[in-house]
C-alpha cells in the first residue's frame, strides 16, 4: 500500500516536469550576440564607391581626342574617318568638320593652281569640303580644326581637330604626280632628309635606286625607311648618300619609275646669317658709280632677307637694290647657298657720304654689317 502511494507521488512529480522536457522549447532568456541570426550575403562583391566618376573620366578623355571630321556617304549617311582612306581616282568626296569657325589643310597645289574642283563652305554648324573628279595628284593629308578667336586673335583648338590621309589610287599613276621632272633634296647631317616619292596605292612595293653607279639602295628600316605618306626617309644623312636617285614602284603590273632626285650634302652651321659687306671703293668722287655688296653663306634651303640703311635714305635718295642667290659646290659633295644683296648708287653726291648698313635675317636671327664711303 505504501509502495503504491510512493509510486503515485513519483508519477505526479514526473508529470509536472515532463512539459519542460518533451513539450515546446522554452525561449532562451540570454542576450543575443551581436549579429546573431542575421542573414549574411554569400559570395557577393562590394560595389566600388566611385564607379560613375571613373566612367565620367573615361568619357572626358575620349572627348578630348574625338575627331570632328567625317565623310558624307550615300543617302545622307556619315562615316568617321580613320588615319588613312583609299579611294579610286575619279571619285568625288565630301568631308565635313563640325564647328562654326573651321580651318582646313589639304595638298597645297590645289591652292597653287586655284583648282575649281575644290569647294569649301562654312555653314552654321559645320564646314564642308568637296573635291570633285579626284586625281592621283590629290593624294595627301586632309585635316581640319576649330579656331578659337578673341577679337582679332585666333588660335587652334587642340581638342577639336580631325585628320586623314587619302590615297587616290590610279594604276596608271603609282607615284603622286609632281609639277617638275627633277627635284633637289638637301642632306643635312643634323636632321632627317626625305625623298618624297609618295605612292597613290599604299600596298605598292617601292624600292630606291642610284643612277650612278647603278644599283638598288638597301632600306634597312633603321637608317633608311620607307613611308607611303612621305617617301624614303634618311634618318642620319651623310656625304656618302649624295648623288642622283629615283624610286621604282610595282603593284599588279609593270613597274613604274619616279622623277629623279639630286641629293646634295650640306654642312653649314646653324645660326644667324654669316654675313660680309664690301664696297667697290671706300672713297668716291662726285658722279662716281658706287656698288655695295652684302653676302651671306648658308644652308641651301634657308631663305635670307636683306634690309639696308644708307645716307640720303630719309630724303628718299634714289638707289638700286637687287637681291639674288645661287648654289655653290664647296667640294667633297658639300653644297652651300650664297645669297647677295647689291646696293647701287649711280651718281654719287655729297649726300651719299656715310655708312652703308646691311641687315641680313633668317629664321635663326639677324646679322648687321657696315662699311663707310667717303668723298675723295
Amino acid at each position: 500500500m505504501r509502495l503504491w502511494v510512493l509510486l503515485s507521488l513519483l508519477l505526479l512529480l514526473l508529470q509536472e516536469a515532463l512539459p519542460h522536457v518533451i513539450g515546446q522549447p522554452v525561449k532562451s532568456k540570454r542576450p543575443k550576440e551581436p549579429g546573431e541570426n542575421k542573414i549574411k550575403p554569400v559570395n557577393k562583391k562590394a560595389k566600388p564607391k566611385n564607379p560613375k566618376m571613373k566612367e565620367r573620366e573615361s568619357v572626358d578623355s575620349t572627348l578630348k581626342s574625338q575627331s570632328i571630321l567625317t565623310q558624307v556617304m550615300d543617302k545622307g549617311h556619315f562615316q568617321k574617318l580613320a588615319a588613312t582612306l583609299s579611294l579610286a581616282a575619279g571619285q568625288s568626296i565630301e568631308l565635313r568638320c563640325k564647328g562654326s569657325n573651321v580651318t582646313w589643310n589639304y595638298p597645297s597645289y590645289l591652292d597653287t593652281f586655284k583648282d575649281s574642283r575644290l569647294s569649301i563652305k562654312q555653314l552654321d554648324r559645320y564646314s564642308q569640303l568637296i573635291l570633285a573628279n579626284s586625281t592621283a595628284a590629290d593624294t595627301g593629308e586632309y585635316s581640319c580644326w576649330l579656331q578659337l578667336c578673341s577679337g582679332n586673335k585666333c588660335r587652334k583648338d587642340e581638342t577639336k581637330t580631325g585628320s586623314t590621309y587619302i590615297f587616290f589610287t590610279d594604276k596608271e599613276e603609282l607615284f603622286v604626280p609632281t609639277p617638275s621632272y627633277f627635284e633637289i633634296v638637301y642632306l643635312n647631317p643634323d636632321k632627317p632628309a626625305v625623298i618624297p616619292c609618295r605612292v597613290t596605292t599604299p600596298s605598292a612595293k617601292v624600292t630606291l635606286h642610284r643612277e650612278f653607279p647603278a644599283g638598288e639602295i638597301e632600306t634597312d628600316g633603321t637608317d633608311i625607311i620607307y613611308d607611303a605618306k612621305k617617301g624614303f626617309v634618311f634618318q642620319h644623312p651623310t656625304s656618302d648618300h649624295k648623288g642622283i636617285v629615283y624610286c621604282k614602284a610595282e603593284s599588279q603590273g609593270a613597274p613604274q619609275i619616279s622623277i629623279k632626285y639630286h641629293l646634295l650634302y650640306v654642312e653649314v652651321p646653324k645660326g644667324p646669317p654669316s654675313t660680309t659687306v664690301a664696297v667697290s671703293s671706300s672713297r668716291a668722287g662726285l658722279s662716281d658709280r658706287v656698288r655695295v655688296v652684302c653676302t651671306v653663306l648658308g644652308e641651301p634651303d634657308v631663305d635670307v632677307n636683306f634690309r639696308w640703311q644708307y645716307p640720303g635714305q630719309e630724303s628718299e635718295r634714289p638707289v638700286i637694290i637687287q637681291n639674288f642667290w645661287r648654289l655653290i659646290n664647296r667640294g667633297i659633295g658639300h653644297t652651300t647657298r650664297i645669297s647677295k644683296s647689291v646696293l647701287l648708287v649711280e651718281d654719287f653726291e655729297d649726300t651719299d657720304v656715310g655708312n652703308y648698313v646691311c641687315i641680313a635675317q633668317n629664321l635663326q636671327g639677324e646679322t648687321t654689317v657696315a662699311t663707310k664711303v667717303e668723298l675723295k
Side-chain angles (χ1 to χ4, degrees):
M1 185 69 178
R2 289 181 179 177
L3 181 60
W4 184 84
V5 173
L6 289 173
L7 289 173
S8 296
L9 289 173
L10 181 61
L11 183 61
L12 288 173
L13 291 173
L14 288 173
Q15 287 177 350
E16 291 179 2
L18 279 176
H20 298 285
V21 177
I22 63 174
Q24 294 298 324
V26 179
K27 292 183 180 180
S28 175
K29 298 295 183 181
R30 68 178 178 81
K32 293 182 179 179
E33 295 294 331
E36 187 177 343
N37 292 336
K38 290 184 179 179
I39 299 176
K40 296 181 180 180
V42 179
N43 296 331
K44 190 173 182 181
K45 296 182 179 179
K47 294 182 179 179
K49 293 182 179 180
N50 299 315
K52 292 184 179 180
M53 185 177 296
K54 291 184 179 179
E55 290 175 3
R56 190 179 299 115
E57 290 174 359
S58 175
V59 172
D60 289 344
S61 62
T62 303
L63 288 173
K64 287 182 181 180
S65 59
Q66 186 176 10
S67 174
I68 59 174
L69 180 64
T70 56
Q71 178 186 0
V72 180
M73 311 299 288
D74 294 335
K75 299 179 182 179
H77 294 158
F78 298 89
Q79 174 178 291
K80 291 183 179 180
L81 290 169
T84 60
L85 174 67
S86 292
L87 296 174
Q91 287 186 262
S92 297
I93 185 172
E94 179 181 347
L95 303 177
R96 290 188 182 181
C97 206
K98 296 179 182 179
S100 58
N101 187 10
V102 171
T103 299
W104 289 89
N105 184 55
Y106 42 84
S108 59
Y109 92 97
L110 288 170
D111 271 342
T112 303
F113 297 100
K114 297 181 179 179
D115 204 316
S116 60
R117 297 178 300 116
L118 179 69
S119 169
I120 295 178
K121 293 181 181 179
Q122 177 66 61
L123 304 176
D124 290 340
R125 296 184 179 180
Y126 63 90
S127 181
Q128 175 193 62
L129 182 149
I130 297 178
L131 180 62
N133 302 320
S134 62
T135 68
D138 299 325
T139 296
E141 183 179 11
Y142 292 76
S143 60
C144 63
W145 59 90
L146 189 64
Q147 289 276 66
L148 296 177
C149 297
S150 176
N152 295 328
K153 295 182 179 180
C154 294
R155 63 180 179 85
K156 180 179 180 180
D157 186 347
E158 298 292 346
T159 65
K160 296 181 180 179
T161 64
S163 177
T164 188
Y165 190 97
I166 305 179
F167 295 93
F168 290 100
T169 60
D170 187 342
K171 294 181 180 179
E172 304 299 322
E173 296 278 6
L174 288 183
F175 289 106
V176 179
T178 60
S180 63
Y181 295 95
F182 191 86
E183 285 189 22
I184 294 177
V185 176
Y186 300 110
L187 305 177
N188 196 306
D190 58 1
K191 65 181 179 181
V194 178
I195 301 173
C197 50
R198 299 179 296 129
V199 290
T200 62
T201 303
S203 60
K205 180 184 177 183
V206 187
T207 52
L208 182 64
H209 299 260
R210 186 181 302 280
E211 187 173 58
F212 184 82
E216 181 178 340
I217 300 174
E218 182 181 355
T219 54
D220 55 10
T222 303
D223 289 330
I224 304 177
I225 62 175
Y226 183 73
D227 184 336
K229 297 185 290 185
K230 295 180 180 179
F232 284 96
V233 182
F234 287 69
Q235 299 287 7
H236 308 286
T238 68
S239 60
D240 293 336
H241 295 136
K242 67 182 184 295
I244 297 177
V245 301
Y246 62 89
C247 303
K248 181 187 291 185
E250 297 181 52
S251 178
Q252 301 178 352
Q256 296 182 20
I257 304 299
S258 72
I259 67 170
K260 293 180 180 180
Y261 301 90
H262 192 178
L263 310 186
L264 298 177
Y265 187 71
V266 181
E267 195 170 34
V268 178
K270 284 191 173 182
S274 176
T275 313
T276 59
V277 65
V279 62
S280 56
S281 177
S282 60
R283 296 178 64 85
L286 296 176
S287 301
D288 282 355
R289 193 167 183 262
V290 176
R291 187 169 182 262
V292 187
V293 181
C294 190
T295 305
V296 171
L297 294 178
E299 296 180 74
D301 54 348
V302 175
D303 291 329
V304 178
N305 296 317
F306 292 98
R307 302 196 313 273
W308 285 94
Q309 296 173 1
Y310 53 90
Q313 187 172 21
E314 293 183 0
S315 59
E316 299 183 355
R317 173 79 166 97
V319 297
I320 299 172
I321 297 176
Q322 295 178 327
N323 299 329
F324 58 92
W325 64 271
R326 64 187 176 90
L327 297 178
I328 59 173
N329 192 334
R330 300 174 60 195
I332 324 177
H334 294 185
T335 304
T336 301
R337 172 170 169 162
I338 180 169
S339 303
K340 289 189 176 184
S341 181
V342 179
L343 184 149
L344 185 63
V345 180
E346 291 281 8
D347 188 10
F348 196 79
E349 298 178 356
D350 290 340
T351 55
D352 297 320
V353 173
N355 292 320
Y356 288 76
V357 180
C358 171
I359 304 167
Q361 184 178 30
N362 63 14
L363 294 176
Q364 303 294 325
E366 63 179 33
T367 303
T368 302
V369 291
T371 187
K372 188 174 184 178
V373 179
E374 297 178 344
L375 187 63
K376 283 182 180 179

